[in-house]
Amino acid sequence: MRVTAPDATLPPAGLPGLDPALSRLIDVPGAAADAGTTRTWHVLDTGAALAARGLEPVGTIIAVHGNPTWSYLWRTLVNSSLARAEAGATAWRVVAVDQLEMGFSERSDRRRTLAQRIADLDALVGELGIRGPIVTIGHDWGGPISLGWAVENRDRLAAVVALNTAVHHPDGAPLPFALRVATARGMLAAGTTGTTAFLDTTLALADLDPAIRAAFRAPYATVARRRGIGGFVADIPATAADESTPALRRMSAGLRELDVPALLLRGPKDPVFGEGHLDDLTERLPHADVHRFEGAGHLIAEERPYADVVLDWLDEKGVATDAAAPGSAAPTAPPGSAATASPRSAAATAPTAAGHLWDALDARRDDDDTAVIDMTTARDGAPLRVSWRQLSARVDEIAAGLDAFGVRPGDRVSLLVQPGPTLTAALYACLRIGAVVVVADRGLGIRGLSRAVRGAVPDVVIGEIAGLAAARALGWPGRRISAAALPAATSRALGVEASLSDLARAGRGRTLPEPPAPDADAAVLFTSGSTGPAKGVVYTHAQLTALRDTLAAHFGVTAETGLVTGFAPFALLGPALGTRSATPDMDVSAPRTLTAAAVAAAVRASDARIVFLSPAAVANVVATASALDADDRAALARVETFLSTGAPVGIDLLRRAHELMPNAVAHTPYGMTECLLVADVTLPEIESAAGGRGVCVGRPLGTGQVRISAIDAEGRATGEPTTDAGITGEIVISAPHLKRGYFRLYLTDREARRGLADRWHRTGDVGHLDADGRLWVEGRLPHVITTAEGPVTPVGIEQDAETVEAVTRAAAVGVGPVGRQVVVAVVEAGARRPGLASPELTDAVRAATAQPLAAVLVAPTLPTDIRHNSKIDRSRLAAWAERLLAGEKPTAP
């Protein structure tokens, strides 16, 4: 059926996913400028279906589409809500509207402004007799309309949800490029009404099945039926003079007074509504739960399972019963649930450490001893040394200068500077005034780094030339500050407003603002991206201070200890610990650039007693040990503590590193970006515990706690967290320095807290506790192999395979369907080409392990993550192994 008439009508039969029984037409008295008329709407309404099943809804969800879609956009929410209600879950009535002039609702000659559409929606809600509680959900320009109705009807409002939308347009700012094209003179009528160009372009933003694309096009077959599309675009409030601007401003201002639960879902690959629009929404709704679906775009409802997310969220928030959101103080055991983590919202309850991260810096502000040594910068033939007095003064000056520059508490500042005195001063200055530092290193690769920085929506970017050039080329948001003074022409080209030196001069003599509260957000640290897109991990000041205190207490750090670190997350902790620090001459984002001679030089220059390196850095240090001279070896012999963390460290590598630092106790702490220190173990302890499956990482540090959630036959962590020995499952942790949450990843946060109380975290690692309370890591949860005999973890098999003389590295992966996978070993064994291992090597690897192996494959190099150069990408290897065993031509994994 081809709909051409202007009258409201029911959709044609056969549209995929649309139950015709849920469609209805309703006559509604006209509102505002439409008063005195009657308009006919098409809606999808589950009310009658619930009544027919004897189900009483707890409330109503009003779903409002944008331009150029229609109520079909919400079919998954409609269907899921009904199916869940039938299954005994919370029953919500869903009313998904076709706005007037759109979908299968009536066409008229009326020009509908934002205020008119809000009035139209209110008239429909009144005619349907919906009283409350009401949840609104909107997408695109349905966002301002649904939120506008919400602001004006707070007495009936229970919650608000928004998908990819905007509620404010700054004066003088250009529209997004796609909308500038659509609204350009001569293009508006032709692109939106005269042709299907606007409709086609919007639908092309998602990979839609042809039948679904045709369903979206169904209401817009003729020029007359597309006038609403053009009218929507023409009504975009782009300037202060536009007719709908006052209504938009009223609505956006009113959002600041909404205190109902709010959920913001976003597809980042949206050419219309950018990260800045989401940032604006979170400022107006600071309590909102936010989730960015990485890889999704404008039509997020067609790309991600949003419906169950919304319905689960309503249950979690107790919206229907007006219950308080769950959350509690720090537990001693992990049942329950926890609060969310939006970086500018109130922090989840957490243990509060005393003081601030910069306390030691303040205490030594009159001390002329060395605080930081820059091994990459020479002055008079020696490494650059910065005293405590100089560093403290510089931090204060930059902090005051940032305040004068307009940086305020909660503003995010992206730091694109290599570790050293400049980065140290900038970081502590930001923390001192309450700015939130965003740290994402080059080890993520340019795409990963760009995704991280853009997703964090920094207010300010402080960078060196390479970082500033990338920011300019890739369109990263934020005002620009250069780490070093630049020529005027270069500054203009890069959009730089000031240098750190300029800020220091401007801040000299100025009074600093009050320091931030302990529970204020302090940092967003991005993960390595080794198990998916890098995630921003949010820390408060109290949690960073707790990390400092845990590190100092466990390793006995004093003012005279000295620290050499080639591990980026800890490269900035020296001033916090009150001890001098040096970063070796290396590219910190590429650990394999560190040499043994560079470590020795840094130790000699700093007289350090602690050396902190990543596993990949340790591997190259050991590999380059032959270049050490007598002075180098003497310097390394003075080291008392050697730490390597960031990924599991093999015992043989630790032994070889210990040979270079013979008087040091070798530690291999276990941690992750979400909790940088969880447990610790020494080389002697590892050797005494030999024989267990996996990597022994020791006992929890300080007041931290570890539990194990047992995995089921399908590799899911479903068991009640326990300290019982010998149970293999997901590692669950709690510590005062555990992160507050993830940056705009509500679902990731929810999964990390699943079944747990506040201040507990599911790590995604699998392992077990032994009878002495030591933790053993056996791999990652996504890499558990689900065989017909039960789940199998990979690390123990890999350790077995690596005992074969020819094997330098191994990975164990699963091939086949879940529950019936077979185990395949992939090894590095000097092979120049990938493929099946030789019969001799296959027999040797099979003989080394008790686990039956379906095949042994060889690869010249096993793929690893960029940052650590050591975490094997088992998921990628599993897909490669499956292709190879299926008969595809062998290629590099």
Side-chain angles (χ1 to χ4, degrees):
M1 181 179 87
R2 187 169 185 267
V3 178
T4 60
D7 301 330
T9 184
L10 295 175
L15 299 184
L18 188 65
D19 181 355
L22 301 178
S23 274
R24 62 181 292 200
L25 299 179
I26 179 169
D27 292 333
V28 179
D34 238 3
T37 67
T38 297
R39 301 297 185 191
T40 306
W41 295 62
H42 167 254
V43 300
L44 303 177
D45 186 355
T46 64
L50 290 171
R53 292 161 173 80
L55 298 171
E56 182 69 26
V58 297
T60 303
I61 301 172
I62 305 293
V64 186
H65 68 85
N67 189 29
T69 56
W70 55 288
S71 57
Y72 186 71
L73 180 77
W74 306 112
R75 67 194 181 282
T76 305
L77 180 62
V78 168
N79 297 336
S80 293
S81 67
L82 201 53
R84 288 165 64 120
E86 289 177 326
T90 307
W92 285 94
R93 178 186 181 185
V94 178
V95 177
V97 308
D98 281 5
Q99 298 195 60
L100 293 174
E101 325 300 336
M102 302 292 289
F104 290 97
S105 286
E106 180 180 338
R107 271 38 174 193
S108 71
D109 294 330
R110 174 72 60 191
R111 180 173 180 270
R112 297 193 181 275
T113 62
L114 175 59
Q116 179 65 48
R117 289 195 175 278
I118 294 171
D120 291 340
L121 182 61
D122 188 56
L124 173 67
V125 172
E127 185 64 22
L128 288 171
I130 302 171
R131 299 191 178 280
I134 293 174
V135 176
T136 67
I137 180 171
H139 170 255
D140 188 82
W141 293 111
I145 295 163
S146 62
L147 292 170
W149 185 92
V151 166
E152 295 178 6
N153 293 273
R154 298 175 202 174
D155 57 325
R156 289 180 282 171
L157 190 67
V160 294
V161 182
L163 283 61
N164 284 51
T165 191
V167 298
H168 173 68
H169 187 75
D171 291 341
L175 287 172
F177 177 76
L179 294 182
R180 291 204 303 274
V181 171
T183 56
R185 185 184 297 274
M187 289 293 294
L188 177 58
T192 61
T193 305
T195 70
T196 60
F198 188 83
L199 176 61
D200 294 341
T201 299
T202 302
L203 296 179
L205 295 176
D207 184 15
L208 302 178
D209 181 273
I212 291 174
R213 184 177 290 108
F216 274 115
R217 295 170 60 90
Y220 304 116
T222 67
V223 170
R225 292 192 62 83
R226 289 194 293 270
R227 287 201 188 105
I229 296 176
F232 244 129
V233 174
D235 189 49
I236 293 172
T239 70
D242 288 323
E243 189 174 358
S244 284
T245 296
L248 185 69
R249 289 178 174 174
R250 277 196 309 275
M251 178 272 299
S252 59
L255 288 180
R256 299 186 187 279
E257 300 176 16
L258 283 188
D259 57 1
V260 297
L263 176 64
L264 307 176
L265 303 178
R266 170 166 164 74
K269 294 174 63 176
D270 188 339
V272 181
F273 301 114
E275 296 291 347
H277 294 114
L278 177 61
D279 205 38
D280 174 73
L281 265 169
T282 61
E283 287 184 344
R284 297 172 191 280
L285 296 167
H287 62 286
D289 295 312
V290 183
H291 190 81
R292 299 169 73 257
F293 288 95
E294 198 63 54
H298 179 70
L299 292 174
I300 183 176
E302 298 298 319
E303 299 181 78
R304 294 295 186 268
Y306 81 96
D308 284 333
V309 171
V310 170
L311 296 169
D312 286 342
W313 175 81
L314 290 173
D315 284 343
E316 178 183 316
K317 294 299 178 185
V319 169
T321 58
D322 198 28
S328 60
T332 56
S337 64
T340 185
S342 175
R344 294 193 183 187
S345 65
T349 303
T352 301
H356 295 93
L357 202 63
W358 58 86
D359 288 343
L361 186 58
D362 278 353
R364 301 190 69 173
R365 63 171 53 253
D366 297 323
D367 192 335
D368 289 317
D369 285 348
T370 299
V372 178
I373 302 172
D374 185 357
M375 300 301 297
T376 65
T377 303
R379 180 170 292 177
D380 298 327
L384 174 64
R385 292 175 177 268
V386 178
S387 71
W388 291 99
R389 184 192 301 272
Q390 291 170 322
L391 180 60
S392 179
R394 192 66 167 179
V395 167
D396 285 353
E397 290 169 354
I398 294 174
L402 285 167
D403 180 58
F405 189 70
V407 179
R408 296 292 175 259
D411 284 356
R412 291 183 293 276
V413 179
S414 179
L415 300 175
L416 303 175
V417 183
Q418 281 289 300
T422 299
L423 177 59
T424 301
L427 181 137
Y428 282 88
C430 290
L431 295 177
R432 175 60 184 81
I433 64 170
V436 180
V437 296
V438 177
V439 181
D441 67 52
R442 289 185 299 153
L444 294 174
I446 192 62
R447 290 183 62 186
L449 179 61
S450 184
R451 184 189 299 116
V453 174
R454 287 180 64 86
V457 200
D459 300 283
V460 175
V461 175
I462 300 176
E464 294 164 339
I465 287 183
L468 293 171
R472 184 75 165 185
L474 298 171
W476 296 346
R479 301 170 70 187
R480 309 287 197 263
I481 297 171
S482 62
L486 301 175
T490 305
S491 292
R492 285 194 299 271
L494 296 176
V496 170
E497 297 182 47
S499 68
L500 288 178
S501 295
D502 295 333
L503 295 184
R505 282 191 294 272
R508 203 162 293 150
R510 285 179 58 97
T511 301
L512 285 168
E514 287 296 312
D519 62 354
D521 292 339
V524 179
L525 311 180
F526 276 87
T527 63
S528 66
S530 58
T531 55
K535 301 180 289 290
V537 179
V538 182
Y539 278 90
T540 66
H541 285 270
Q543 289 152 7
L544 289 181
T545 304
L547 172 64
R548 174 202 67 190
D549 296 345
T550 300
L551 187 64
H554 185 74
F555 295 106
V557 181
T558 68
E560 297 307 315
T561 300
L563 174 67
V564 168
T565 176
F567 186 52
F570 289 95
L572 298 161
L573 278 176
L577 293 164
T579 195
R580 63 188 171 279
S581 59
T583 300
D585 186 4
M586 65 176 295
D587 181 350
V588 176
S589 64
R592 285 183 175 171
T593 61
L594 182 61
T595 65
V599 174
V603 170
R604 191 162 49 245
S606 61
D607 193 25
R609 296 295 183 264
I610 297 180
V611 173
F612 208 143
L613 306 176
S614 71
V618 174
N620 203 55
V621 165
V622 168
T624 56
S626 61
L628 295 173
D629 60 25
D631 288 343
D632 293 333
R633 292 185 180 276
L636 293 176
R638 294 196 295 273
V639 175
E640 297 173 356
T641 304
F642 161 65
L643 314 173
S644 183
T645 190
V649 185
I651 189 170
D652 289 338
L653 183 58
L654 277 178
R655 286 169 176 157
R656 294 171 67 192
H658 185 252
E659 291 173 3
L660 297 178
M661 293 171 276
N663 297 312
V665 177
H667 294 253
T668 173
Y670 164 68
M672 59 220 61
T673 309
E674 293 85 347
C675 190
L676 290 165
L677 289 173
V678 174
D680 182 42
V681 67
T682 65
L683 177 57
E685 290 171 328
I686 294 173
E687 290 175 326
S688 68
R693 303 295 288 174
V695 176
C696 181
V697 297
R699 297 176 180 85
L701 277 74
T703 59
Q705 300 178 65
V706 173
R707 304 282 189 271
I708 301 296
S709 173
I711 51 178
D712 61 19
E714 295 184 358
R716 300 171 303 184
T718 55
E720 184 70 20
T722 180
T723 56
D724 292 349
I727 294 176
T728 295
E730 184 176 18
I731 299 168
V732 179
I733 63 172
S734 178
H737 51 280
L738 174 67
K739 51 83 177 169
R740 182 173 70 74
Y742 292 107
F743 184 76
R744 294 181 179 172
L745 291 172
Y746 159 74
L747 295 179
T748 309
D749 253 338
R750 190 173 72 182
E751 175 58 26
R753 302 187 317 262
R754 176 175 50 83
L756 307 177
D758 195 16
R759 305 300 304 149
W760 284 83
H761 171 73
R762 291 184 177 273
T763 65
D765 289 335
V766 288
H768 69 275
L769 293 166
D770 65 18
D772 294 318
R774 293 172 299 208
L775 177 63
W776 295 72
V777 178
E778 301 179 52
R780 292 284 297 168
L781 192 62
H783 303 154
V784 171
I785 304 164
T786 56
T787 71
E789 290 73 36
V792 173
T793 55
V795 171
I797 303 168
E798 294 163 357
Q799 291 172 321
D800 293 340
E802 288 167 1
T803 64
V804 175
E805 185 176 355
V807 175
T808 55
R809 226 169 20 160
V813 299
V815 172
V818 173
R820 290 184 294 159
Q821 289 184 318
V822 295
V823 182
V824 174
V826 186
V827 301
E828 285 182 10
R832 298 178 61 184
R833 295 180 180 177
L836 292 170
S838 67
E840 296 78 14
L841 180 58
T842 298
D843 290 343
V845 172
R846 282 178 168 156
T849 181
Q851 176 64 45
L853 300 177
V856 178
L857 308 179
V858 293
T861 304
L862 300 185
T864 60
D865 68 304
I866 299 173
R867 181 191 283 180
H868 297 292
N869 300 135
S870 57
K871 293 182 179 179
I872 296 172
D873 190 341
R874 297 189 186 95
S875 298
R876 180 173 162 187
L877 275 178
W880 170 80
E882 189 146 8
R883 293 194 304 270
L884 191 148
L885 293 174
E888 290 190 16
K889 181 179 179 181
T891 58

